[in-house]
Amino acid sequence: ETGVTQSPTHLIKTRGQQVTLRCSSQSGHNTVSWYQQALGQGPQFIFQYYREEENGRGNFPPRFSGLQFPNYSSELNVNALELDDSALYLCASSLGGENPTDTQYFGPGTRLTVL
Amino acid sequence: AQSVTQLGSHVSVSEGALVLLRCNYSSSVPPYLFWYVQYPNQGLQLLLKYTSAATLVKGINGFEAEFKKSETSFHLTKPSAHMSDAAEYFCAVSVGTAGNKLTFGGGTRVLVKP
């Protein structure tokens, strides 16, 4: 069974640029959630996709957007990058997004540095 | 809205000693609670979760946690620390109205001394 994978591992961008991060969910999972983990802090929920539809969003501006594809993989796009966007971005997949006890399985993350 | 507070951003324990990590939550509806561990340069791995079936929950690697509604707590313990327990630990909450979206605490970094 393949776990959650993310690409790239590391990324360096400059302010104002745009970035796309990718996530492949665990086999059989139809829900993907994205989290931002700033240095020294806990992860913060960005948004969740369930069967290709956005299924909830945290307190992040519209320049954070996402997609989920028919194979349930997902992308996180961030436009107009700011220095504060520097963080570890974590993707997590689960069997379904409606059950609050469903376990989320996390990928290793993408480390984004904005200069 | 729900929130999680982890007391102590850093904890140092001796190998073989008790590990106790504190987590308190705030929620207006019944919560479901999780403990995750994060090793350096890795994602988060689930240690255990409380789903209302039993208040004492046993997890992987010898960890357990007890849900105490009266204290709004879900502290994590392990009787005897191993060097391999050195990592960062996160407590998280989800609530029925928001599906399985997680709200995390700030984390506790555990250092194990030989």
Side-chain angles (χ1 to χ4, degrees):
Chain A
E1 183 178 271
T2 305
V4 179
T5 60
Q6 293 185 243
S7 63
T9 306
H10 295 87
L11 203 52
I12 299 175
K13 292 285 188 178
T14 57
R15 271 188 309 173
Q17 285 189 311
Q18 179 266 341
V19 69
T20 297
L21 310 182
R22 295 179 174 83
C23 171
S24 291
S25 59
Q26 189 165 309
S27 177
H29 289 181
N30 58 22
T31 302
V32 172
S33 303
W34 286 91
Y35 293 83
Q36 180 195 66
Q37 185 179 15
L39 197 61
Q41 298 182 26
Q44 282 195 290
F45 174 72
I46 303 175
F47 44 57
Q48 182 181 82
Y49 280 84
Y50 173 61
R51 294 184 175 178
E52 302 179 61
E53 297 287 332
E54 187 177 289
N55 183 40
R57 187 179 184 91
N59 189 26
F60 281 81
R63 57 190 185 84
F64 285 78
S65 63
L67 280 174
Q68 187 178 33
F69 301 99
N71 66 355
Y72 302 132
S73 66
S74 177
E75 285 183 356
L76 163 65
N77 299 289
V78 187
N79 294 322
L81 283 167
E82 300 177 359
L83 296 179
D84 283 350
D85 295 335
S86 295
L88 181 68
Y89 288 85
L90 295 164
C91 166
S93 74
S94 55
L95 282 171
E98 300 304 312
N99 186 340
T101 64
D102 268 348
T103 297
Q104 295 197 37
Y105 295 85
F106 284 80
T110 294
R111 173 75 62 188
L112 173 64
T113 301
V114 182
L115 303 176
Chain B
Q2 59 276 9
S3 66
V4 174
T5 302
Q6 293 184 239
L7 295 177
S9 59
H10 291 80
V11 166
S12 181
V13 298
S14 297
E15 194 173 16
L18 171 73
V19 179
L20 169 61
L21 305 182
R22 300 180 187 274
C23 171
N24 288 88
Y25 69 90
S26 172
S27 175
S28 57
V29 297
Y32 302 97
L33 294 154
F34 304 76
W35 275 100
Y36 280 87
V37 61
Q38 186 176 35
Y39 297 101
N41 301 315
Q42 294 187 28
L44 279 70
Q45 179 184 10
L46 181 70
L47 282 175
L48 49 81
K49 63 180 178 181
Y50 166 72
T51 61
S52 77
T55 57
L56 182 62
V57 182
K58 294 188 183 299
I60 62 171
N61 301 339
F63 285 94
E64 66 179 36
E66 186 172 9
F67 174 71
K68 292 187 177 181
K69 184 178 178 181
S70 60
E71 299 177 9
T72 62
S73 70
F74 190 56
H75 301 332
L76 181 72
T77 60
K78 181 174 180 177
S80 176
H82 294 162
M83 297 300 292
S84 61
D85 294 327
E88 188 148 25
Y89 293 79
F90 293 95
C91 182
V93 63
S94 67
V95 296
T97 53
N100 71 346
K101 305 165 191 67
L102 297 171
T103 300
F104 284 88
T108 298
R109 185 168 298 277
V110 173
L111 171 66
V112 182
K113 298 178 293 184

